[in-house]
Amino acid sequence: MLDFYLRSSMPCNDEARMTKEARKQNDEEAGESVRRLIVSHSVAWSFGFRSHENFIQVMLSSMNTIADIQTLYARLGERDYEAVMSYLADDIAWIVADNSPLADRSPYRGIAEVRSGVFERLTAGFDKLVFDADEIFECNGGERVVALGYYYFRFHGQAEERKAQVAHVSTIRDGRAVKFRQYLDTLQVARDAGAV
């Protein structure tokens, strides 16, 4: 069937000039293209996408999501909190890890609470706070982004830099984070702060 389709779609003069070896190579290349198309459609359908084009569109938009999250973390390290907040929805729910230094008022709801309860307190309590992501990946077609890595930090007034393992889960809607959840090695942070 594929052979018939390929031959019937070519002009007659090209068919006459095509050698047996060239026809075999053409058939193999076309067969590989069809196999790739079938596989990509199968993958798209298995993940619940209605079409191959929809699948590709989500894949391309997901690359932007990860790039945006990487930019957000770069701005966090630069202490450009206004730029960080530009990636957050107005009604963001910001949930910090239980027993972490900022857990007393968690969850923080909305930009104003995140600004005063998280970023102003980070500025007052840390001379340095950088998130170094080992891995960032998406779930649910880009609706959630998970980042795994370490905080590198220095408490205000201390010279020694410290690190703690951390995971972030962000829920993304319309290109902005509507929910942020932090999982943190709070025992390590408490030890570093001298609380334990």
Side-chain angles (χ1 to χ4, degrees):
M1 177 71 176
L2 179 61
D3 188 25
F4 170 76
Y5 171 77
L6 291 173
R7 291 181 205 287
S8 66
S9 64
M10 289 185 224
C12 292
N13 57 354
D14 287 342
E15 172 70 18
R17 284 189 219 140
M18 214 178 228
T19 65
K20 184 176 180 181
E21 188 62 35
R23 261 186 301 210
K24 181 180 177 189
Q25 182 179 353
N26 190 33
D27 288 352
E28 287 173 0
E29 289 172 4
E32 182 60 28
S33 294
V34 169
R35 279 189 289 279
R36 285 185 187 147
L37 185 62
I38 290 169
V39 167
S40 66
H41 278 285
S42 298
V43 169
W45 277 99
S46 68
F47 283 103
F49 295 99
R50 285 174 275 139
S51 70
H52 173 69
E53 290 79 15
N54 183 252
F55 175 70
I56 289 175
Q57 185 178 31
V58 168
M59 293 303 292
L60 291 174
S61 71
S62 68
M63 286 186 265
N64 291 335
T65 303
I66 290 177
D68 288 343
I69 293 292
Q70 290 170 328
T71 301
L72 182 148
Y73 288 131
R75 299 299 169 263
L76 178 69
E78 296 163 359
R79 297 186 141 203
D80 186 353
Y81 299 134
E82 291 302 318
V84 171
M85 288 185 288
S86 73
Y87 289 91
L88 309 179
D90 293 338
D91 60 346
I92 179 86
W94 189 287
I95 304 161
V96 300
D98 291 347
N99 304 310
S100 73
L102 304 180
D104 59 335
R105 293 191 268 174
S106 182
Y108 300 89
R109 299 201 182 276
I111 293 290
E113 283 188 20
V114 171
R115 179 182 285 114
S116 65
V118 177
F119 295 127
E120 288 177 7
R121 293 169 73 189
L122 289 177
T123 300
F126 295 88
D127 289 337
K128 175 184 180 180
L129 177 63
V130 175
F131 176 70
D132 184 22
D134 291 332
E135 187 175 1
I136 300 175
F137 56 93
E138 293 183 329
C139 307
N140 298 348
E143 181 183 318
R144 287 205 175 81
V145 178
V146 177
L148 308 174
Y150 287 88
Y151 283 145
Y152 290 88
F153 59 95
R154 194 171 49 249
F155 287 110
H156 185 67
Q158 293 185 3
E160 188 177 348
E161 184 175 295
R162 302 169 186 281
K163 82 176 194 178
Q165 195 171 29
V166 66
H168 296 158
V169 180
S170 299
T171 302
I172 310 296
R173 238 177 253 125
D174 299 325
R176 298 173 86 194
V178 294
K179 184 177 183 181
F180 172 87
R181 181 179 290 270
Q182 173 199 59
Y183 299 89
L184 175 64
D185 182 354
T186 55
L187 179 58
Q188 184 63 49
V189 173
R191 285 180 180 150
D192 291 342
V196 176

